[in-house]
Amino acid sequence: MKYTEEHIRQFYEVARQLPQNVDKDRIFQLIDNPPPGGGGTSYGSSFSPFKLMMMSATAIIISAMIFFWVKPENETEKIDRQEKIETIESVRSALTDTIAQKSAMENLNLIAKERIKTGRVQPKTDLIQKPKLESKGMVKMERPQPANLNDQEKSLPAISCDWPEDTVIYVSELVVELNEEEARKLGFEFIDFGKSGDEWKGGVYYSNYYKGEYSTSLRSESRWKITDGIRTTSESTSRSLYLEKADDFPKKDYSHFSFYPIFESDDGFEPKGELYYYRGRFEEFRDKIIPVRLTGNYTDSHQLFYFKVNDDFFDALPDRYQYLSETFGCIQDLKRKTGREQVLLYQSEQVLQMGHFLYLDQVSLEKIGFTITDTVISFKYITPELLEHKLMLTTMGRTAYTAIDLSDKSSVVYNDLNLLLMTDENGKQTGSSWNFDPSRFNKYDQRQFDLKYQLLVPIVLTKEQFPNILTENRVIWFEPTDSLFANLPPEIGEELKRDYEYLTAEDKSDLEAKCTFFTICQTELKINSFNLFPNPATEKVNINFSLSEDLKASVGIYDLQGKLLNQPITDQQYFKGINAIEVKLNGLAAGVYLLKLSTTNGYKIQRFIVE
Amino acid sequence: MDKRESELFKKRYDPIHEPLDRFCRLIAGNREDGADLLQETVLTTMSNYHKINKKEALKSFMFSTASNINKKRFSRKRHFVGFEAEEVAHISGNGLAAEHITDLSIIYEKLMALPTKMSEAMMLFHISDMSLEDIREIQGGSLSGVKLRLKRGREKLLTMLNEKQQVIMSIFLTI
């Protein structure tokens, strides 16, 4: 496509009409009640904490210089100096030809430089105390400085262990959980920007520079709503992790550790390849990194940072994690002895069988309503409220989703092909294609409503099928409707419809079904009733089930690939009759998950959605 | 700033709010940073209000303050390839067709890839409706410099847009 001036003009037009981002009243409120001192940070204001810090650091350096300068030479230093002068003299006298003279001059320079370096002006890093910045409602915690800036990377000591040859360690067992104080020893920094208007802002920051390798910086900020002076909900968070090749000049205000995070992930232990220099190099580092989770007010507890490990890293960890050094040594030892590639596994044990996704060819996809070209896959549908929804997947994995209120409502024809959400193969939501509007379902009773969401039909678009468009497989979840069943290839559509009718029927005696497509069928547990609500869930789900005998039960939450994410209940005793369990979701990311109730007599699996 | 002064400030700020809001959001690159930038600009302007001799120049003062804060605080981001989870696929509900949004986000991406002063001048002129004289005041230099920057910016943007699309990264812009 060729862009013209007209396109750019259109862009300007749209940009000029951008909806308001910050409400004017909010700014007026800020003008009326500015935070103490004038602002969150000090850019442009007359007082600068940075200037203050630099000034005090300079003062300390100068006083240190004066201190060392006036310090009288002791005996050893005198002898040392005498020796050096003698060396210089002997070198000078021994030289006759010009080449030797030249190299001797270099030696002299070296010796001279060395004398200055070791003599007087070298400031000791622990003398520089960073001042606490407590003005302007901002509390900045000091970061420890390492003793030696150019310390080479220390490799792990080779140790020998007698682990069985087939030992497997799941990465979930190695997660290091640190509170704020412990995390500061790894270079993390927590800043509370204080209250501004009715919001509170704070976050975790990380900036590390390691000479010859990489500098890393992290920003993860959150805002909270304040109700009656108390922090309540997290309003929004923004985060980013950057890595760049360190140049010769250390950045100001950075820590200098030889260990630093090189990958990040969420609870699913699948490091994202977004860090530029390490993109695609995960296999290389998989046994040399350790996941760290931060706890506390300012952090997202579902975020894991994978630190490159070495001895310094283990030294900085609290005592309770000192055993990890040995564990890592043993992993290396086992790899060396057995030649195995993977001792450390990054996926939780796969316990559930998959096979509930529908893989369709292009013709069938077009029959459902997809429009497919070389560079775009799109799907358009109109809801009974006459909102036109359109999902577009375009080159480079870009997604766009729009909902337009149709102005001319008279001529619109809609069918009931509704696309409800889009996820990746693990069930994690991608894009913002959610269309849960409970008011649409008021006509159904609660049971029908719950069942509909348990029985969404997942159709997969694979990256092999559309190599120009998709960078990873996408699962599109459709509402199970008659139009969908009719438009699917007949052999799949009919079976799905039969299964769906079987599962939603009150009286199942006349019906028969293979029940191969829905997760709900995957059960061996004979229980009288099983009910999961609310669905879609936000913070917790409740499960009610009735048992015919006393049993021990566990509840686990899995992603769609069957990987265990969370086990809220383990081997708890439940009694004959009706039991109710509340399962907290601990802020699972939006998406589709599986809940598995396992007992000594079998298990039951239910699909549920987190909004 | 006493009550009378802050009322006066509010009155002067009122017509500037909308263009400044848009400008902040566009140069910061996303909603969150845009809101931050706007708040900081207002706070900084308040603490330096007594230093502004000609109060009529508040508009250009605030725009240049926003631009400076952005350069100091957010410019480091330009040197990195980063990942903003918040940004991903939040393009909904502003009444535009999906094709259109994709096109526009590509134009925006390229606009931001121009040299800072150039893209800033283009945004000030075409989006915030500033006069050439105002832009000269904000960016410094001469009037012909501003005109040249705009002309070259337009040409460069078109060339960049029609160069073969390179795979950069799949960040979706909230515009």
Side-chain angles (χ1 to χ4, degrees):
Chain A
M1 161 181 169
K2 188 157 170 66
Y3 283 92
T4 57
E5 292 259 2
E6 180 59 22
H7 285 100
I8 300 173
R9 198 190 56 74
Q10 269 184 11
F11 166 76
Y12 291 142
E13 282 291 306
V14 173
R16 282 153 77 111
Q17 289 157 16
L18 276 175
Q20 205 170 57
N21 186 20
V22 184
D23 196 24
K24 203 188 290 174
D25 292 340
R26 207 170 118 192
I27 297 293
F28 283 173
Q29 209 182 350
L30 187 74
I31 295 171
D32 288 337
N33 308 302
T41 53
S42 58
Y43 298 109
S45 67
S46 53
F47 176 82
S48 157
F50 180 68
K51 268 188 208 161
L52 177 72
M53 203 178 73
M54 286 309 289
M55 276 162 66
S56 40
T58 323
I60 292 167
I61 291 172
I62 291 169
S63 50
M65 280 169 67
I66 294 167
F67 173 74
F68 283 110
W69 197 262
V70 295
K71 205 176 92 177
E73 277 185 331
N74 58 26
E75 275 308 304
T76 14
E77 273 174 349
K78 255 183 196 168
I79 295 164
D80 193 31
R81 198 161 162 233
Q82 192 58 41
E83 268 176 16
K84 276 177 186 166
I85 292 167
E86 278 167 16
T87 325
I88 294 165
E89 286 302 319
S90 61
V91 170
R92 192 175 281 163
S93 61
L95 292 173
T96 47
D97 61 328
T98 48
I99 299 166
Q101 207 164 7
K102 200 180 165 194
S103 66
M105 285 309 283
E106 279 167 8
N107 283 339
L108 284 173
N109 280 344
L110 276 176
I111 293 162
K113 261 186 204 166
E114 199 180 299
R115 204 172 76 192
I116 292 166
K117 212 174 159 188
T118 50
R120 293 178 176 113
V121 286
Q122 175 76 2
K124 288 190 176 173
T125 31
D126 55 356
L127 275 177
I128 304 172
Q129 287 280 333
K130 284 190 178 181
K132 272 191 181 180
L133 304 172
E134 287 179 352
S135 56
K136 306 194 174 192
M138 174 170 124
V139 185
K140 197 171 177 184
M141 316 299 178
E142 60 188 72
R143 229 179 349 224
Q145 293 294 314
N148 192 347
L149 205 140
N150 292 327
D151 212 350
Q152 286 304 304
E153 190 188 334
K154 292 173 186 169
S155 56
L156 291 165
I159 55 168
S160 179
C161 300
D162 50 355
W163 282 9
E165 279 195 7
D166 54 350
T167 308
V168 161
I169 293 189
Y170 289 105
V171 72
S172 51
E173 295 166 29
L174 297 178
V175 177
V176 172
E177 287 198 6
L178 301 178
N179 61 29
E180 283 169 19
E181 200 178 317
E182 290 158 350
R184 257 178 233 128
K185 290 182 183 160
L186 298 191
F188 285 98
E189 196 179 9
F190 299 89
I191 299 180
D192 189 340
F193 282 114
K195 197 177 158 187
S196 158
D198 61 344
E199 276 184 353
W200 198 294
K201 194 173 149 191
V204 52
Y205 299 82
Y206 178 92
S207 318
N208 187 57
Y209 171 93
Y210 188 58
K211 196 175 178 191
E213 291 195 29
Y214 295 102
S215 68
T216 315
S217 85
L218 161 81
R219 182 180 67 110
S220 176
E221 285 173 0
S222 305
R223 289 154 194 266
W224 297 275
K225 206 87 185 154
I226 306 284
T227 316
D228 300 331
I230 301 163
R231 278 183 209 176
T232 49
T233 49
S234 169
E235 275 291 285
S236 63
T237 54
S238 59
R239 65 193 180 88
S240 52
L241 182 59
Y242 302 117
L243 199 70
E244 67 167 354
K245 188 90 184 162
D247 47 31
D248 292 336
F249 305 101
K251 302 269 188 297
K252 291 165 198 160
D253 206 21
Y254 273 41
S255 59
H256 305 284
F257 291 114
S258 58
F259 48 85
Y260 42 88
I262 57 174
F263 297 103
E264 63 166 344
S265 83
D266 52 23
D267 284 336
F269 298 110
E270 276 185 41
K272 295 185 174 76
E274 299 294 342
L275 288 172
Y276 191 61
Y277 283 99
Y278 283 93
R279 189 177 291 171
R281 293 175 65 191
F282 174 61
E283 284 304 313
E284 208 179 304
F285 285 95
R286 54 178 301 140
D287 289 337
K288 294 168 194 154
I289 49 182
I290 203 164
V292 172
R293 189 196 301 279
L294 307 181
T295 56
N297 285 338
Y298 308 115
T299 51
D300 174 4
S301 59
H302 299 286
Q303 194 177 7
L304 295 168
F305 301 105
Y306 293 80
F307 271 79
K308 206 171 147 187
V309 297
N310 57 22
D311 265 2
D312 290 344
F313 175 75
F314 292 119
D315 287 347
L317 286 183
D319 289 344
R320 64 177 188 280
Y321 288 117
Q322 289 306 325
Y323 69 90
L324 280 175
S325 165
E326 199 186 323
T327 311
F328 262 78
C330 288
I331 291 173
Q332 303 301 333
D333 181 50
L334 197 62
K335 275 182 78 174
R336 213 170 28 243
K337 277 182 189 162
T338 60
R340 276 174 56 193
E341 294 253 312
Q342 294 185 358
V343 178
L344 194 61
L345 288 194
Y346 271 74
Q347 292 175 349
S348 308
E349 200 176 357
Q350 189 156 335
V351 289
L352 305 174
Q353 280 185 352
M354 282 311 302
H356 306 285
F357 293 153
L358 294 184
Y359 294 87
L360 301 177
D361 59 18
Q362 190 165 334
V363 179
S364 311
L365 287 172
E366 278 170 354
K367 204 174 167 206
I368 299 173
F370 284 96
T371 312
I372 299 167
T373 66
D374 280 350
T375 47
V376 180
I377 304 174
S378 65
F379 187 87
K380 189 163 88 174
Y381 62 97
I382 298 164
T383 59
E385 301 82 41
L386 299 182
L387 276 175
E388 184 192 279
H389 296 259
K390 188 168 186 182
L391 172 77
M392 275 190 59
L393 302 167
T394 59
T395 45
M396 293 186 272
R398 284 173 191 275
T399 316
Y401 175 76
T402 53
I404 300 172
D405 199 353
L406 296 174
S407 50
D408 181 13
K409 300 197 177 190
S410 56
S411 63
V412 177
V413 183
Y414 66 90
N415 58 28
D416 58 351
L417 264 174
N418 281 338
L419 179 152
L420 284 179
L421 66 133
M422 181 166 74
T423 67
D424 61 15
E425 277 189 313
N426 298 326
K428 202 168 175 191
Q429 183 193 332
T430 56
S432 53
S433 54
W434 293 80
N435 185 24
F436 295 116
D437 181 6
S439 62
R440 286 172 58 208
F441 291 96
N442 280 348
K443 55 194 171 198
Y444 300 108
D445 64 15
Q446 185 62 39
R447 188 170 171 277
Q448 290 290 337
F449 176 80
D450 283 347
L451 267 172
K452 231 181 174 62
Y453 281 137
Q454 283 161 27
L455 302 177
L456 296 182
V457 179
I459 291 176
V460 185
L461 306 175
T462 62
K463 60 182 175 193
E464 289 80 19
Q465 210 171 356
F466 306 106
N468 292 340
I469 301 168
L470 297 178
T471 49
E472 60 172 340
N473 292 1
R474 291 288 161 94
V475 186
I476 318 265
W477 297 79
F478 282 89
E479 202 178 305
T481 57
D482 286 342
S483 312
L484 177 71
F485 297 141
N487 284 311
L488 282 168
E491 67 280 6
I492 300 174
E494 279 164 26
E495 199 177 329
L496 259 178
K497 193 175 179 187
R498 214 165 39 234
D499 287 357
Y500 178 71
E501 280 171 357
Y502 174 77
L503 288 166
T504 48
E506 291 283 340
D507 178 15
K508 293 185 171 57
S509 56
D510 298 341
L511 298 164
E512 227 179 272
K514 283 189 194 165
C515 205
T516 45
F517 285 108
F518 295 110
T519 328
I520 197 171
C521 302
Q522 226 184 48
T523 179
E524 290 169 357
L525 182 64
K526 299 285 174 225
I527 46 177
N528 300 336
S529 72
F530 183 90
N531 193 11
L532 183 149
F533 62 94
N535 187 20
T538 46
E539 285 168 8
K540 58 175 186 182
V541 285
N542 300 298
I543 319 163
N544 292 347
F545 58 98
S546 62
L547 296 171
S548 50
E549 54 183 319
D550 293 358
L551 282 177
K552 273 191 174 177
S554 307
V555 174
I557 293 170
Y558 298 79
D559 70 7
L560 284 186
Q561 296 294 334
K563 280 183 252 155
L564 180 65
L565 302 178
N566 192 353
Q567 185 141 16
I569 292 162
T570 315
D571 283 340
Q572 204 158 318
Q573 185 72 44
Y574 292 98
F575 301 101
K576 187 178 168 183
I578 295 176
N579 291 280
I581 308 177
E582 184 185 292
V583 179
K584 288 225 166 75
L585 299 175
N586 293 336
L588 281 179
V592 184
Y593 297 89
L594 300 169
L595 183 139
K596 182 185 175 193
L597 173 76
S598 30
T599 69
T600 35
N601 279 6
Y603 64 89
K604 174 105 185 163
I605 292 167
Q606 185 92 308
R607 196 161 71 196
F608 71 101
I609 299 163
V610 175
E611 261 188 295
Chain B
M1 196 182 264
D2 62 26
K3 204 173 174 192
R4 197 185 60 84
E5 266 186 333
S6 74
E7 284 304 317
L8 213 64
F9 177 65
K10 271 196 227 172
K11 210 173 160 188
R12 286 188 198 279
Y13 172 74
D14 193 61
I16 308 174
H17 175 75
E18 273 195 36
L20 186 65
D21 182 22
R22 281 199 297 268
F23 180 68
C24 286
R25 195 198 313 186
L26 285 166
I27 58 172
N30 62 55
R31 279 166 201 255
E32 283 298 315
D33 285 346
D36 273 2
L37 182 57
L38 179 66
Q39 288 198 9
E40 276 184 30
T41 307
V42 171
L43 289 173
T44 310
T45 312
M46 276 169 70
S47 58
N48 292 300
Y49 193 63
H50 61 278
K51 290 183 196 164
I52 309 173
N53 294 331
K54 280 200 293 181
K55 303 294 180 207
E56 296 75 34
L58 184 68
K59 189 174 178 184
S60 58
F61 182 87
M62 290 192 86
F63 272 82
S64 40
T65 308
S67 166
N68 288 340
I69 295 176
N70 182 57
K71 272 176 215 154
K72 276 186 194 162
R73 184 173 171 188
F74 302 111
S75 61
R76 212 175 70 201
K77 270 168 77 173
R78 285 189 299 136
H79 305 299
F80 301 107
V81 173
F83 169 67
E84 292 272 348
E86 280 289 298
E87 299 290 293
V88 175
H90 237 287
I91 316 170
S92 66
N94 57 4
L96 288 168
E99 299 93 327
H100 207 114
I101 294 171
T102 318
D103 272 355
L104 295 186
S105 69
I106 290 171
I107 296 179
Y108 178 67
E109 201 173 87
K110 297 289 178 197
L111 181 66
M112 292 307 282
L114 289 175
T116 323
K117 257 191 164 176
M118 212 178 248
S119 63
E120 196 181 277
M122 285 173 75
M123 276 193 266
L124 286 169
F125 187 73
H126 292 289
I127 299 166
S128 297
D129 290 333
M130 303 285 272
S131 68
L132 290 171
E133 186 56 41
D134 284 342
I135 300 174
R136 188 196 64 78
E137 221 170 275
I138 291 168
Q139 296 199 319
S142 65
L143 202 60
S144 60
V146 176
K147 284 180 191 165
L148 209 58
R149 222 170 279 148
L150 286 170
K151 182 176 173 287
R152 285 182 184 159
R154 271 196 297 270
E155 286 167 1
K156 203 164 175 183
L157 183 62
L158 263 185
T159 334
M160 279 164 81
L161 279 169
N162 289 325
E163 273 168 12
K164 202 180 169 193
Q165 285 283 328
Q166 288 174 354
V167 178
I168 309 164
M169 53 185 166
S170 52
I171 284 189
F172 306 86
L173 295 153
T174 319
I175 61 166

